Amino acid sequence: MFDENHLIHRLSRHAAMTPGRVFARREGQPDVTLQEMFDRAQAIAGTLQAAGVAPGDRVAVQVDKSLEAVQLYLGVVLAGGVFLPLNTAYTVAELDYFLGDATPAVVICDPAKRAGIEPIARGARVFDLAADGSGTLMQAVAEGPAYTPVDRGPDDLAAILYTSGTTGRSKGAMLSHRNLLSNSEMLRDYWRFSERDVLIHALPIFHTHGLFVATNVALLAGAEVNFMPGFDPDAIIRAMPSATAMMGVPTFYTRLLKHPGLTAETAAHMRLFISGSAPLLAETHREWERVTGHRILERYGMTETNMNTSNPYEGERRAGTVGFPLPGVELRVMLDGNEVEQGQIGVIEVRGDNVFKGYWQMPEKTAEELREDGWFITGDLGMIDPEGYVVIVGRAKDLIISGGFNVYPKEVEEEIDALPGVVESAVIGVPHPDFGEGVVAVVVGDASVTEDRVKAALADRLAKFKQPKRVFVVDDLPRNTMGKVQKKALRDAHAGLFD
Ligand code: AMP
């Protein structure tokens, strides 16, 4: 089926073999089979072609999570287009940048946003698609325009995903059919996904984690997904007894741990809990094992590279580490142009079929981060521990330089997190007239946690230059939808502190 399309041919393999198999189950709604997924994808592809999508054209999509949105992803790629999903949180003003940069041929949005988007669509055809599948896209599909097969090979683009852009403008990471397929096939095997699996799918599908890792792996394995519109702890607890695996961001795990329904019995049918997209606290790892009997498998990836490392399926899953480089992925840690010794911190670089093809229309940015010999400079600081496990220390841009000394926020955060009453912390550098940057800690904890106590507890635990000059106790840390702490927001909030 779909031999002409490198990615979709493989994603639809199980649909060709067992078309009647259920792909998705949803609470209160009918199951959807593999055949229905790909029939609809093909119909959408035909509709997009009729709307003018030519090979290589971008199709920008900002819609709520739905199975129709997954079919749309498959349909765009099948039409020879480049799928460009956008975070549902973006406002019309923010979308203006993405549409101007990507110049899509077609834009698909929520019906409620249509009036705002049409004036900034720059001549693109606009369709709408609501969470329940209604809207002008599916009306056009119902008219049944025919699909014309388009040849798409391994090096053709399948998607552009914009990075979350915590510094400067968001960049569009160009991902080829090969980038996506090679990584998902490898992950399916590494994590042992098969037709026997039922994957809890509660992640958003505008991001690499929910879109490529979860959806592609499930399709490639012929696994079923329990497809949820978003993260709802009650729904996940209800789903676990008939599911086998879950992929989540760390906040899924911390929130589920607060649910009284999470027990070893509830999780007894599950074989695998995977975490990624942001650091999982070692404490969460231990607590999850204590409550459920399962050790979370933590992995590390990014929009530009798909997945790079993973803790082992068999063998020790080590808290606070992201495991080993995955098959087909080379990884090295660099400092000042040289590879560092094992145990030393530097910037992580990766190379392999997983690594993207560059930033859309940003050749200078691409040249800065993607070396000619294929190594991608991730911007993550990390090291390889004595047993070969990779440890992520933080983003290079979050490194604090105070009085000329490097302070790795994670080291300070780990000390603070270990204090009684502390839930979590974020350590940032704030401009300081004497030191360049001053270390500041933002801490979530109970009433016993105060600035003076945290400072006193760290006094004989950390070198003076690493000790926070100020500690702020707050209710929550600012996070994005993928659970990443927004350090830039914290830095901005405290910018004038030492003036
Ligand atoms: P994104 O492109 O939005 O997926 O973000 C990728 C970034 O998330 C990486 O460069 C890391 O900084 C971070 N990240 C992803 N997975 C992990 C992990 N398991 N532990 C620590 N940081 C992670």
Side-chain angles (χ1 to χ4, degrees):
M1 212 152 85
F2 306 124
D3 295 15
E4 69 281 5
N5 191 295
H6 187 69
L7 176 63
I8 303 295
H9 173 57
R10 298 289 265 275
L11 290 181
S12 63
R13 196 170 69 97
H14 283 272
M17 292 186 313
T18 50
R21 248 190 98 77
V22 171
F23 169 65
R25 59 170 85 157
R26 295 166 295 174
E27 269 188 340
Q29 289 183 74
D31 292 346
V32 173
T33 64
L34 281 168
Q35 174 157 20
E36 287 172 280
M37 290 301 292
F38 284 92
D39 281 354
R40 189 68 80 82
Q42 180 174 327
I44 293 172
T47 305
L48 294 172
Q49 289 173 329
V53 172
D57 278 352
R58 280 76 55 214
V59 176
V61 175
Q62 190 199 38
V63 296
D64 284 331
K65 185 178 176 182
S66 67
L67 274 183
E68 287 79 2
V70 176
Q71 294 155 358
L72 175 57
Y73 149 57
L74 300 169
V76 169
V77 179
L78 199 52
V82 179
F83 186 63
L84 197 162
L86 292 159
N87 191 324
T88 42
Y90 289 141
T91 62
V92 168
E94 287 165 316
L95 291 176
D96 192 30
Y97 163 72
F98 295 109
L99 300 185
D101 191 52
T103 58
V106 167
V107 180
I108 294 151
C109 65
D110 189 86
K113 281 218 173 137
R114 188 179 179 117
I117 284 175
E118 263 173 344
I120 57 168
R122 296 167 172 83
R125 182 84 182 267
V126 180
F127 291 102
D128 53 59
L129 174 66
D132 65 3
S134 64
T136 55
L137 177 68
M138 291 309 174
Q139 286 162 18
V141 168
E143 287 167 19
Y147 161 67
T148 312
V150 188
D151 284 336
R152 290 282 90 181
D155 286 316
D156 288 315
L157 291 192
I160 293 178
L161 260 60
Y162 277 86
T163 58
S164 31
T166 44
T167 49
R169 291 198 314 168
S170 248
K171 294 166 285 185
M174 299 190 287
L175 296 154
S176 69
H177 283 235
R178 178 192 282 114
N179 292 153
L180 300 182
L181 183 62
S182 64
N183 204 245
S184 323
E185 287 193 319
M186 178 272 299
L187 292 174
R188 171 199 59 195
D189 299 342
Y190 199 81
W191 293 334
R192 315 274 166 90
F193 274 90
S194 75
E195 300 94 325
R196 291 183 296 282
D197 278 304
V198 179
L199 174 69
I200 295 176
H201 194 314
L203 290 161
I205 53 170
F206 52 72
H207 184 269
T208 181
H209 196 168
L211 183 61
F212 300 136
V213 187
T215 309
N216 286 357
V217 166
L219 283 170
L220 287 170
E224 199 173 306
V225 292
N226 190 324
F227 196 80
M228 303 183 177
F231 176 74
D232 171 358
D234 292 332
I236 290 182
I237 297 289
R238 281 197 298 277
M240 270 190 205
S242 58
T244 63
M246 182 172 87
M247 294 181 189
V249 292
T251 40
F252 279 25
Y253 293 98
T254 49
R255 290 193 201 157
L256 283 167
L257 276 169
K258 294 192 186 125
H259 197 290
L262 184 76
T263 61
E265 200 189 352
T266 321
H269 191 254
M270 297 286 288
R271 71 170 180 90
L272 185 58
F273 290 98
I274 299 176
S275 176
S277 294
L280 182 77
L281 293 175
E283 171 66 17
T284 311
H285 197 277
R286 282 191 288 272
E287 193 56 12
W288 191 267
E289 184 174 14
R290 192 184 64 75
V291 174
T292 68
H294 291 273
R295 283 180 89 97
I296 297 171
L297 183 153
E298 185 171 9
R299 96 301 180 274
Y300 155 63
M302 58 198 302
T303 302
E304 290 93 330
T305 63
N306 300 282
M307 299 305 108
N308 294 316
T309 73
S310 170
N311 269 278
Y313 186 77
E314 279 163 7
E316 192 193 343
R317 298 179 191 164
R318 196 170 284 187
T321 82
V322 293
F324 306 110
L326 282 157
V329 180
E330 290 177 88
L331 183 145
R332 67 185 187 188
V333 182
M334 302 287 284
L335 192 64
D336 301 328
N338 296 308
E339 204 168 339
V340 302
E341 282 176 32
Q342 207 156 339
Q344 272 193 307
I345 294 173
V347 175
I348 294 178
E349 299 191 4
V350 295
R351 181 164 74 172
D353 282 346
N354 55 312
V355 173
F356 76 139
K357 300 190 54 126
Y359 294 112
W360 172 254
Q361 285 182 335
M362 287 190 180
E364 328 75 49
K365 283 275 169 214
T366 304
E368 274 170 33
E369 297 180 29
L370 188 57
R371 297 183 193 278
E372 272 179 15
D373 57 1
W375 286 100
F376 174 62
I377 305 165
T378 63
D380 287 315
L381 291 171
M383 62 137 175
I384 302 178
D385 83 2
E387 279 84 42
Y389 286 82
V390 177
V391 177
I392 309 281
V393 178
R395 297 288 296 163
K397 66 178 184 329
D398 293 332
L399 175 74
I400 305 166
I401 304 180
S402 191
F405 294 110
N406 285 358
V407 181
Y408 297 102
K410 189 176 177 192
E411 185 188 352
V412 185
E413 288 160 5
E414 281 179 349
E415 287 291 343
I416 298 175
D417 294 349
L419 300 176
V422 170
V423 177
E424 59 176 349
S425 60
V427 166
I428 52 168
V430 171
H432 191 288
D434 297 334
F435 299 104
E437 281 183 297
V439 178
V440 171
V442 184
V443 181
V444 179
D446 64 24
S448 73
V449 180
T450 63
E451 172 160 26
D452 289 345
R453 285 200 189 135
V454 172
K455 282 180 164 176
L458 297 179
D460 58 357
R461 304 277 313 160
L462 290 170
K464 184 89 179 140
F465 70 91
K466 296 181 192 169
Q467 291 174 24
K469 299 196 185 326
R470 291 297 312 272
V471 176
F472 296 92
V473 182
V474 298
D475 292 335
D476 286 301
L477 297 176
R479 285 197 148 81
N480 70 7
T481 27
M482 298 310 291
K484 276 196 242 295
V485 175
Q486 300 302 84
K487 289 206 165 168
K488 184 174 181 299
L490 289 175
R491 280 194 290 265
D492 291 347
H494 295 287
L497 190 61
F498 300 118
D499 286 354

